[in-house]
Amino acid sequence: MVTTARLRHLGPNWYAAVMGTAIVGSAGAALPSHVRHLCAALWALSLLLLLALLAARALHWAHHRDQARQHLFDPATAPFHGCTAMALLAVGGGALSAGRYWIGTRAAVALDTVLFSAGTALGLAAAVAVPYLMVTRHRPTLADATPVWLLPLVAPMVSAALGPALVPHLPPGQSRGTLLLGCLALFGLSLLATLLMLPLLLARLLLHGPLPLALTPALFLVLGPLGQSTTATGAIADLAPGVVPAPYDRGLVVFAVLYGVPVMGFALLWLAFAAAQLVRARRRGMRFSPTWWGLTFPVGTCVTGAASLARHTGLAVYAGLAAGLYALLLLAWAAAATGTVRGLLSGVLLPAPPPARGALPAARVHTRSGAVR
């Protein structure tokens, strides 16, 4: 009973730790000089974290269904439901890129097929349901806008980036073409939705100033759709020959470069902006919180995006950029993981919510007739 009580406030935001750990392994596998066994070990850790979190969230829904529903209707928490889908997708994709060195290609394909299917379905559901709730139930103002709003919209982009890896394992013909062009459709879905949301986020920052200190790491979430979309176009282009009819296969290769180069340029601009905001927040007393995991997965997508551009352009500058961003990713993951472990051991994380100001315990509230409520 004590264990389930601790789980009452376990929200979907905890899946960010799974995403951040999985991307360290898969991003490392995308580098030319990656260490296979280290990447496989990090992927295995992300798989264990995913299984543990899925079990914990199942207990949460079984014993604290009221709180689970409240998470869905809470405008600050609802967007994190996109993390559930992305965690499944990240671990599934990591099985093929890194985990196959330990579990074998056949098992990796089977695992990725299951997690990709479930993650894509959940991602599409979140991409529709969360904006619907924002319009009909949450009704936020511009001052409430944060990069967290991007999370359910980015989930289909993760499917677009990781789905092409399954194409060679399908029967030739309609199956391969359907999956590859389906990933391209998911790319467009997520990209257009993100382009609609980004102006709101920038307007919020310009008109209302910096985010609260604890939310400052969330600025790095903007890198997610940028790096992941560059990765997606590159992955689709890699598999297009022999799957997509000519001349569209060659066109997708050209598009991967023409799209990826300017988008990666903007990603570097935003990285500098977000890093400056992070330094400012640290100087003003920002302490560790689970939002620090926002520093991991988005940077990891930029690693895979830069690695994709290195393959398609042959330029060493992109290979160097991927290596430099991966070093930054390792630092971010180490900081987030260390803070999380310390917080869990000390009991600081997952605390019971404080009583509302001015509220009295229910047993002490009396009606006018003197009866205890």
Side-chain angles (χ1 to χ4, degrees):
M1 192 67 180
V2 176
T3 302
T4 57
R6 287 291 304 274
L7 296 178
R8 178 169 177 78
H9 304 287
L10 181 73
N13 59 304
W14 282 90
Y15 282 105
V18 179
M19 297 162 53
T21 303
I23 197 68
V24 176
S26 57
L31 299 178
S33 58
H34 65 273
V35 181
R36 291 182 176 181
H37 292 293
L38 175 61
C39 294
L42 290 168
W43 170 80
L45 176 60
S46 71
L47 177 61
L48 294 176
L49 290 174
L50 177 64
L51 294 175
L53 192 52
L54 287 173
R57 287 285 291 170
L59 289 174
H60 182 266
W61 272 95
H63 296 277
H64 307 289
R65 189 164 297 178
D66 61 324
Q67 187 68 16
R69 290 176 177 173
Q70 181 61 32
H71 285 162
L72 190 61
F73 295 119
D74 180 5
T77 307
F80 284 102
H81 283 84
C83 291
T84 307
M86 289 188 283
L88 295 173
L89 292 166
V91 174
L96 271 180
S97 61
R100 62 190 175 94
Y101 298 115
W102 279 13
I103 66 175
T105 300
R106 192 171 185 177
V109 170
L111 180 60
D112 189 20
T113 300
V114 173
L115 295 181
F116 175 79
S117 301
T120 300
L122 286 175
L124 289 172
V128 174
V130 175
Y132 175 82
L133 289 174
M134 292 175 68
V135 172
T136 60
R137 294 289 297 268
H138 302 162
R139 305 301 295 273
T141 65
L142 181 61
D144 299 322
T146 71
V148 173
W149 287 8
L150 292 171
L151 290 173
L153 305 179
V154 178
M157 188 66 80
V158 180
S159 295
L162 299 178
L166 288 171
V167 169
H169 304 284
L170 293 175
Q174 290 286 324
S175 298
R176 293 186 179 184
T178 299
L179 177 57
L180 193 64
L181 291 184
C183 290
L184 185 60
L186 291 171
F187 161 83
L189 179 159
S190 181
L191 176 64
L192 294 176
T194 299
L195 291 178
L196 292 174
M197 188 66 71
L198 284 178
L200 294 177
L201 302 178
L202 185 58
R204 183 258 177 255
L205 293 173
L206 292 176
L207 297 177
H208 297 279
L211 295 175
L213 296 183
L215 277 178
T216 302
L219 288 171
F220 285 77
L221 295 179
V222 175
L223 297 175
L226 303 176
Q228 199 69 286
S229 61
T230 303
T231 304
T233 55
I236 293 171
D238 288 339
L239 275 298
V243 176
V244 178
Y248 303 110
D249 55 349
R250 181 59 186 167
L252 288 172
V253 176
V254 174
F255 177 68
V257 176
L258 294 181
Y259 173 87
V261 171
V263 169
M264 187 56 62
F266 179 70
L268 294 177
L269 172 65
W270 190 269
L271 176 62
F273 170 76
Q277 292 287 320
L278 188 67
V279 171
R280 173 187 177 275
R282 285 290 288 171
R283 288 179 176 177
R284 291 173 179 257
M286 182 189 72
R287 297 186 177 182
F288 173 79
S289 69
T291 57
W292 282 33
W293 283 104
L295 305 173
T296 56
F297 190 80
V299 174
T301 66
C302 291
V303 174
T304 56
S308 174
L309 289 176
R311 290 196 312 272
H312 288 100
T313 65
L315 295 177
V317 64
Y318 285 113
L321 176 61
L325 290 173
Y326 190 70
L328 181 61
L329 172 62
L330 290 175
L331 291 175
W333 180 83
T338 301
T340 299
V341 171
R342 288 178 178 175
L344 289 174
L345 293 178
S346 65
V348 174
L349 299 180
L350 296 178
R357 293 182 179 179
L360 296 175
R364 300 290 300 276
V365 179
H366 297 265
T367 63
R368 291 183 179 181
S369 62
V372 178
R373 292 183 185 176

